[in-house]
Amino acid sequence: MIALAMNNIKKTFGIDTILENISFSINEGERIGLVGSNGAGKTTLFKIITGELDYDNGEIYFGKDLTIGYLAQNTEIATTNTLLEEVLTVFEGVMVLEKEIRILEHEISDAGAKEDFTLLDRLMKQYSLKTEEFTKINGYAYNSEAKGILIGLGFKEEDFSKEVRMLSGGEKTRLMLGKLLLKKPDILLLDEPTNHLDTDSVQWLESFLKQYRGTIFVISHDRYFLDELTNKTYELFSRELKIYNGNYSFYVKQRLVDEEIALKTYEENQSQIKRQQEVIDKLKAFGREKQVKRARSREKLLDKMEKVEKPNYLKKKAKITFNTKIKSGKDVMKIRSVSKSYGERTLFSEVNLDIYREEKIALIGPNGAGKSTLFNILLGEDKNFEGEITFGTNVLPVYFDQDRDDLNHEVNILDEVWSTYPHIKEADLRSMLGAFLFFGDDVFKLVGTLSGGEKARISLLKLMLSDSNFLFLDEPTNHLDIESKEVLEDALCAYEGTVFVISHDRYFLNKVPDKILVLENQEIKEYFGNYDYYMEKKAMEKAAKEFENQTEDSSTKTQLKVQRKKDKEKEKEERKLKKQLTDTENRIHAIEQQITDLDHELCKEEVYSNPEKSMEITDLKTALNNELGDLLELWEKLLEEVN
């Protein structure tokens, strides 16, 4: 079954055509990755699907009764709600219906006491319809369902009371994703869902989406994420869309094949045209009427000949080269006993590090662990800390801020760079901007109107011009398209200075750094290798710890006997819990069936015309609903204990 289809969609902004002849169809349950350079129109396409933007020509088809959920980039939620309150807004209709049912119960009771059978009949019919709808939408368990989703997304129960405005970018993304999942849309549109998520959250998201029953259409620059999730890839390039029947790695390989074929076809066509033109020129050179007629005849054939356009797949890439003005000493930075706290909350304590010339160091860890705070301390922006920091000889640090606070949004691109480096001639600066894909009048665009990737390219240019020998980079690949990421990775690998980078990009972490620092549980651990090496060492440490625990547990026969006894008791307790869980589930199903049967009873004339019988059944149903609520809470608790 087709979930979503487009036919010849065209979209323009003024005189600029963004999308042209976009046609595709997505079947229910498919996982589609949408790739393309920044500015290619990916987010525009999503907004057309959701109805946020109109389109000029074409048709859009949606499967019957299918719902769409959209997770946009740069999620901002203007609310004073707590985390749990915000999630529960998804169930606003359910909660309204619940209140209506409670009101109806009181009205039925009053009508029965007054023996107003006409009113009672009308109220009972309303009550039956509303309770049936309430049961259908799982109204008796919405609160538990909301909490379960939040816990599944990595939140803890103590987070439920946090105000939304206090959440980090990654937490807000998870919150919005949680609201989407609770709505259970048939089609999920996800625009850069891994932005601002830490590595653990990205891995969780991959696993969760693999199990999602609906259709997924995702924009992402995370190459690993696309490979793990998608089974088809759409590429937007030069206003058009091309379809590849495989994940991102398949797309890369197939695109290379397609490019080679396109180039060969073009070259053969050009060769044929050249040969025909040479023959025509020779025939004309004879100057005789017969040869001239033959030349004209061949010219007509040449005009009718199919012309293959030059392939436009050769995308322009930013040219990034980081140079050092002077060489620093071998010892770049010494960090001794550095600690940082906010009141009673300690971010990190007693951090000791030595950073040496030409090292490429990555700092990773969960969101909120204090990575950016540590950067601010090392750069002298935050002076409220304990410990000592010493720079080496001739060290020239510079900072790449993920929030782009280094940019003035009120000026144009040319003036933004010129204000920092006024000594550069305009012609030279425009040439440099061209190398970063800002051509012609592009340089007069206001910085505030640019996309995230375009702003990142300006910051990278300013970084390149700084001639620094110590780069602090906070999430440098965020908002960059894949080609720009690869160019940046190559430039950093060739850089002769020192690099200290915060990143969640697993591919980047494998290619660039030679040392991984993990900030977790208020301390930093060093791993001398790339991300894969860190993961291997982490697995080895876990295995060694498990072996050590096993060795300690088996050190004496007495301890073994005690352990076996504990294991048997644990197994017995687990069996008891599982039986209790099964019994609870069976009781829940039985009560739900009883409630349904009672609803049918209340609709019978011999019941609703008898006030005493009607009240008896209504009271019984209320008691069952209360018992059902208690059982659902018990079931949730037992489920957590069993797992």
Side-chain angles (χ1 to χ4, degrees), residues 308-554:
V308 177
E309 292 186 11
K310 186 175 182 179
N312 62 357
Y313 60 79
L314 296 174
K315 303 177 183 180
K316 296 176 180 178
K317 296 183 179 180
K319 300 175 183 178
I320 304 174
T321 304
F322 297 111
N323 298 310
T324 57
K325 189 173 184 179
I326 55 175
K327 195 172 185 177
S328 70
K330 182 180 179 181
D331 296 325
V332 173
M333 177 181 281
K334 291 184 181 295
I335 302 167
R336 294 293 180 266
S337 301
V338 169
S339 303
K340 175 67 178 181
S341 299
Y342 290 103
E344 297 182 357
R345 184 191 175 206
T346 300
L347 282 181
F348 41 82
S349 178
E350 295 295 320
V351 172
N352 294 286
L353 293 172
D354 290 302
I355 299 176
Y356 301 105
R357 185 179 62 231
E358 296 185 17
E359 276 192 318
K360 309 290 192 296
I361 303 168
L363 178 63
I364 66 174
N367 284 337
K371 301 184 295 295
S372 295
T373 300
L374 180 60
F375 263 30
N376 288 332
I377 289 172
L378 300 183
L379 288 161
E381 299 292 331
D382 186 344
K383 302 183 184 299
N384 186 21
F385 68 96
E386 295 180 2
E388 184 179 353
I389 298 168
T390 307
F391 280 91
T393 307
N394 295 328
V395 175
L396 301 175
V398 68
Y399 181 39
F400 178 87
D401 180 8
Q402 67 165 317
D403 296 322
R404 308 291 177 263
D405 288 339
D406 60 316
L407 302 179
N408 181 355
H409 289 194
E410 304 300 321
V411 301
N412 63 46
I413 297 171
L414 184 66
D415 289 339
E416 167 60 28
V417 182
W418 220 346
S419 64
T420 308
Y421 302 101
H423 62 280
I424 300 177
K425 294 179 180 179
E426 181 178 353
D428 293 337
L429 185 53
R430 290 182 70 115
S431 176
M432 293 174 187
L433 287 168
F436 277 73
L437 310 184
F438 296 109
F439 304 103
D441 291 340
D442 288 345
V443 300
F444 299 115
K445 289 181 179 178
L446 287 179
V447 173
T449 65
L450 303 179
S451 67
E454 290 170 325
K455 290 175 184 176
R457 293 206 305 271
I458 297 173
S459 293
L460 286 172
L461 172 58
K462 292 174 70 175
L463 207 66
M464 184 190 80
L465 294 172
S466 70
D467 290 331
S468 166
N469 54 29
F470 190 8
L471 304 181
F472 284 82
L473 310 175
D474 193 351
E475 298 292 358
T477 61
N478 272 5
H479 305 295
L480 290 180
D481 57 28
I482 292 171
E483 290 80 10
S484 296
K485 285 183 181 182
E486 292 171 350
V487 171
L488 174 62
E489 289 161 357
D490 291 340
L492 290 175
C493 288
Y495 180 55
E496 295 181 354
T498 308
V499 177
F500 198 1
V501 59
I502 296 171
S503 180
H504 293 130
D505 186 329
R506 289 166 288 178
Y507 188 93
F508 177 92
L509 291 170
N510 263 340
K511 187 172 180 179
V512 176
D514 47 39
K515 182 192 290 186
I516 301 288
L517 302 180
V518 183
L519 178 53
E520 198 171 28
N521 299 324
Q522 303 176 6
E523 64 178 7
I524 284 183
K525 293 186 69 174
E526 290 183 280
Y527 295 86
F528 292 89
N530 63 5
Y531 182 76
D532 277 348
Y533 175 81
Y534 152 67
M535 292 299 289
E536 290 172 8
K537 292 293 290 183
K538 189 177 178 181
M540 291 171 62
E541 289 171 1
K542 182 180 179 181
K545 188 173 182 179
E546 290 175 353
F547 178 77
E548 182 182 342
N549 292 337
Q550 291 173 2
T551 303
E552 290 176 357
D553 290 341
S554 60

Side-chain angles (χ1 to χ4, degrees), residues 570-585 633-643:
K570 185 178 179 181
E571 289 175 5
K572 184 179 179 181
E573 185 64 24
E574 286 176 351
R575 286 196 298 271
K576 182 180 177 182
L577 282 171
K578 288 179 180 178
K579 185 178 184 304
Q580 191 177 357
L581 179 63
T582 302
D583 292 342
T584 303
E585 288 173 346
E633 289 185 6
L634 175 61
W635 174 80
E636 183 183 357
K637 182 181 178 182
L638 289 171
L639 188 63
E640 289 180 359
E641 290 178 3
V642 169
N643 293 332

